[in-house]
Amino acid sequence: MGSSSGLLATLGVGDPSPAEWCQIFFIVSAASIFMLAAVPEHMRRALLDYGARRAKPSQPSEKSKAPEPNQGVLDVLTSYGQVPHSWFIHFYITSLSWSIFWGYQYLSKGSLMRTVAEMQHSSAVKSQTPEVDLTGTLVAWMLMSSQGARRLLECLFVTKPGSSPMWFVHWALGLSYYTALGVSVWIQGSGAILQSWEHPQLIHFTPQVIIGAAVSGWAGAQQHQCHSYLAGLKKYTLPNEGWFKYFICPHYTFECLLYLSLSVVAAPTGCILNRPVLCSLIFVLANLGATAYGTKAWYASKFGADKLVGKWIMIPFVF
Ligand SMILES: NC(=O)c1ccc[n+]([C@@H]2O[C@H](COP(=O)([O-])OP(=O)(O)OC[C@H]3O[C@@H](n4cnc5c(N)ncnc54)[C@H](OP(=O)(O)O)[C@@H]3O)[C@@H](O)[C@H]2O)c1
């Protein structure tokens, strides 16, 4: 504990506030994924690939019981602890549960929210950091709840149940991510939350909140279309309609846009973006960027690289 607080002090974040703890979690997780970009391709794929992209462990033939030459130690190690890709549903159960929990804490003036909000607010006052008003905080919380609910319904009623795997580390990281995000969306509005418990506050929609919420709604609708389209495909074909004409992974593009717009909605007064939510976007960019890169390699090997010419992987004009 002493050495970790020493390290944080060296990094300029001595005694982090709850919002800073969320940022540290996202940035350390994103940095770990970025670092994997430096390891050899087969190791990176063994650690990161999940779903259809993950090569099935090869069965030794009757003639030769020797392992495949391209099967490394990491492939063997990560073949343990594989869970179904369909366990993604747990992420959205977690996300929605946290949204409901924090919503209930707000309505009942719960002691956990009060403790965390007081820690955050006193740190913001000390460092003179601007905070989010009540409207931005509540709208961000509602957008996060509706995103969790939509994804949960998609997992239940849209996505085709498959048998592809993911490593349990992805699953555990996903659960931690949605737990940290559940706090990040309201934490910088701690001052407004505490104040509204003492005196009722007026709800005031600024153009920033309205635009952010509209973009978030649009991105969610487009992502839903992508998921419905993928669910209607014969497994595994090259997706080539709608947004898939222009992107390898448009559902990831819209995921990034969702978090960007959430960061705009939950921005502190006088700011364009909310830092903890922005840090979650950095994690999403690293995580989905690595997966989308693997998807491109997988499509190229399965359907031919010429079929992918002219498509962005995930970010228009950039990636
Ligand atoms: N916030 C985050 O950090 C984060 C992280 C990961 C994902 N997500 C979001 O969660 C959503 C799902 O992500 P994902 O990584 O699971 O997406 P995915 O790997 O593309 O899979 C989505 C679904 O489509 C199926 N599928 C994929 N490619 C297909 C193809 N070529 N032909 C037929 N079916 C295909 C998959 O089947 P199988 O089940 O058989 O693979 C799965 O059911 C995305 O919108 C993503 O943005 C968010």
Side-chain angles (χ1 to χ4, degrees):
M1 192 68 197
S3 63
S4 67
S5 55
L7 175 67
L8 291 171
T10 315
L11 293 171
V13 267
D15 197 13
S17 65
E20 284 166 342
W21 275 118
C22 293
Q23 293 175 56
I24 291 167
F25 166 75
F26 293 130
I27 294 299
V28 169
S29 308
S32 319
I33 296 174
F34 277 126
M35 279 188 315
L36 286 179
V39 305
E41 172 82 4
H42 70 280
M43 290 167 77
R44 192 173 49 74
R45 297 200 63 173
L47 290 167
L48 289 179
D49 280 1
Y50 64 86
R53 293 153 291 255
R54 191 176 176 87
K56 298 250 179 331
S58 41
Q59 303 292 325
S61 67
E62 279 308 309
K63 280 189 198 146
S64 146
K65 295 279 178 196
E68 291 285 318
N70 60 353
Q71 195 169 29
V73 178
L74 277 179
D75 290 293
V76 177
L77 270 180
T78 56
S79 67
Y80 294 98
Q82 291 290 330
V83 298
H85 184 188
S86 55
W87 278 21
F88 258 55
I89 193 171
H90 299 169
F91 300 157
Y92 308 111
I93 294 173
T94 304
S95 174
L96 189 60
S97 302
W98 280 120
S99 292
I100 293 171
F101 173 78
W102 290 120
Y104 178 71
Q105 282 278 307
Y106 177 65
L107 293 174
S108 63
K109 302 185 183 174
S111 58
L112 185 58
M113 185 174 242
R114 184 181 292 279
T115 307
V116 180
E118 281 174 352
M119 282 164 69
Q120 177 64 33
H121 182 55
S122 70
S123 161
V125 170
K126 228 188 284 168
S127 60
Q128 296 185 326
T129 312
E131 293 190 86
V132 189
D133 65 11
L134 190 66
T135 310
T137 305
L138 295 183
V139 173
W141 171 76
M142 272 160 46
L143 290 173
M144 191 64 227
S145 315
S146 55
Q147 154 83 351
R150 173 178 64 82
R151 287 293 295 124
L152 179 57
L153 291 173
E154 282 176 357
C155 287
L156 287 171
F157 302 113
V158 177
T159 309
K160 247 196 252 164
S163 58
S164 68
M166 74 172 155
W167 196 27
F168 80 98
V169 173
H170 296 146
W171 177 75
L173 189 59
L175 296 184
S176 318
Y177 167 82
Y178 283 106
T179 301
L181 192 59
V183 176
S184 300
V185 291
W186 63 262
I187 192 69
Q188 287 204 306
S190 292
I193 288 174
L194 294 168
Q195 237 182 341
S196 73
W197 283 347
E198 302 304 322
H199 315 282
Q201 305 269 304
L202 279 181
I203 295 293
H204 170 66
F205 291 97
T206 60
Q208 182 163 340
V209 167
I210 294 169
I211 293 169
V215 173
S216 174
W218 180 78
Q222 303 310 307
Q223 192 187 49
H224 172 71
Q225 270 185 17
C226 295
H227 291 153
S228 304
Y229 170 67
L230 281 176
L233 286 177
K234 189 164 172 273
K235 288 200 170 174
Y236 284 106
T237 29
L238 182 67
N240 233 341
E241 278 173 31
W243 289 105
F244 287 93
K245 272 188 234 161
Y246 313 105
F247 295 90
I248 306 270
C249 292
H251 46 329
Y252 295 173
T253 313
F254 291 116
E255 181 89 1
C256 297
L257 190 55
L258 275 164
Y259 291 116
L260 183 63
S261 53
L262 195 60
S263 175
V264 170
V265 168
T269 312
C271 302
I272 304 282
L273 298 165
N274 172 301
R275 269 210 217 173
V277 180
L278 188 65
C279 290
S280 84
L281 173 63
I282 294 172
F283 168 77
V284 171
L285 281 167
N287 187 18
L288 293 183
T291 308
Y293 187 78
T295 307
K296 183 181 178 181
W298 174 63
Y299 283 157
S301 69
K302 203 165 159 59
F303 304 107
D306 55 312
K307 303 268 178 17
L308 309 176
V309 173
K311 289 191 192 198
W312 291 300
I313 298 179
M314 188 172 100
I315 311 283
F317 306 104
V318 179
F319 176 59

